[in-house]
Amino acid sequence: AQKITQTQPGMFVQEKEAVTLDCTYDTSDPSYGLFWYKQPSSGEMIFLIYQGSYDQQNATEGRYSLNFQKARKSANLVISASQLGDSAMYFCAMREGGYSTLTFGKGTMLLVSP
Amino acid sequence: EAGVAQSPRYKIIEKRQSVAFWCNPISGHATLYWYQQILGQGPKLLIQFQNNGVVDDSQLPKDRFSAERLKGVDSTLKIQPAKLEDSAVYLCASSLFSGNEQFFGPGTRLTVL
């Protein structure tokens, strides 16, 4: 079974609008962490936001917030006020238990239009 | 603070040839990772080092891939001989300790003809 599922191959949004990128995960470990990375065309993976399984509140970092629904095993990324520079691939990843290995989803391509 | 450095950025080789990639992690980072990212997929871990010891190489195709991290700083990843299916971006990442946030380098795009 896929540990990280990103069902949206591509998303389009207009500048200044908000967009939600979906991510569901599968683990039986009660301790885990969820990450979102941005990968622009230059290729570098840029860390955006982190949510721990025991965190009581949803994580926020500037224009990025993580909609964490533990019972549904979902960790959607919300980008508010989209900018042209947000156009990139976005990857959801999970780290389980005490392991540092990240398991990545297949990614979602976000295109922001003027 | 300098980021993770990788070279070369691009490499084109023919199948059955050898190739090596180099990574210099962020200064002081004990943990170093090599990932393979095939087009249209997320990165897949190949090998993880803690200082100069291997922590996880369960997904490394050991018949053709090798990696080392001498002195616990720089690392090299080698493919010998290369196959067509090795065409991918090879990403190096480092973290202060195992379990901390990982910082990625720009990657090396390998094309095997």
Side-chain angles (χ1 to χ4, degrees):
Chain A
Q2 292 279 345
K3 289 206 171 188
I4 295 287
T5 303
Q6 295 180 255
T7 57
Q8 305 155 315
M11 289 285 285
F12 295 89
V13 67
Q14 278 201 310
E15 206 175 1
K16 299 188 180 72
E17 291 186 349
V19 63
T20 298
L21 306 183
D22 294 342
C23 173
T24 57
Y25 59 92
D26 182 29
T27 181
S28 56
D29 197 317
S31 175
Y32 53 90
L34 297 156
F35 299 76
W36 277 93
Y37 281 86
K38 171 185 178 182
Q39 187 176 42
S41 56
S42 58
E44 188 168 346
M45 299 284 281
I46 302 167
F47 167 75
L48 296 177
I49 196 166
Y50 167 79
Q51 180 84 43
S53 59
Y54 295 119
D55 293 344
Q56 295 296 316
Q57 293 188 323
N58 287 347
T60 59
E61 288 285 349
R63 295 186 299 111
Y64 304 108
S65 61
L66 202 151
N67 184 1
F68 182 45
Q69 298 188 40
K70 201 168 182 176
R72 292 186 174 185
K73 293 190 174 179
S74 75
N76 298 339
L77 177 70
V78 181
I79 305 175
S80 62
S82 297
Q83 301 172 356
L84 296 178
D86 293 335
S87 293
M89 282 290 288
Y90 288 80
F91 290 94
C92 180
M94 177 172 65
R95 182 180 68 214
E96 296 175 274
Y99 300 101
S100 60
T101 301
L102 289 179
T103 302
F104 286 84
K106 291 189 175 183
T108 296
M109 171 65 80
L110 176 66
L111 290 177
V112 181
S113 60
Chain B
E1 181 182 80
V4 177
Q6 289 188 248
S7 67
R9 291 296 313 275
Y10 305 91
K11 189 74 177 178
I12 300 174
I13 61 173
E14 294 191 347
K15 59 183 179 184
R16 291 188 287 274
Q17 286 188 322
S18 302
V19 65
F21 313 127
W22 174 80
C23 172
N24 181 241
I26 293 173
S27 177
H29 279 197
T31 312
L32 186 147
Y33 313 80
W34 282 102
Y35 289 87
Q36 180 192 57
Q37 186 178 18
I38 292 172
L39 187 66
Q41 298 182 19
K44 181 187 82 172
L45 180 73
L46 291 175
I47 189 167
Q48 176 187 341
F49 291 94
Q50 183 71 21
N51 296 309
N52 60 349
V54 175
V55 174
D56 182 357
D57 64 356
S58 57
Q59 298 195 82
L60 187 75
K62 298 180 186 62
D63 58 334
R64 298 183 300 106
F65 286 64
S66 64
E68 60 182 10
R69 190 184 184 199
L70 300 176
K71 301 180 182 178
V73 181
D74 294 5
S75 177
T76 56
L77 176 69
K78 295 179 182 177
I79 308 175
Q80 180 180 8
K83 291 186 175 182
L84 297 176
E85 58 261 37
D86 298 332
S87 293
V89 175
Y90 291 84
L91 294 162
C92 179
S94 71
S95 62
L96 193 58
F97 297 108
S98 175
N100 284 72
E101 171 193 341
Q102 296 181 24
F103 296 86
F104 284 79
T108 296
R109 184 177 297 275
L110 173 68
T111 302
V112 182
L113 302 175

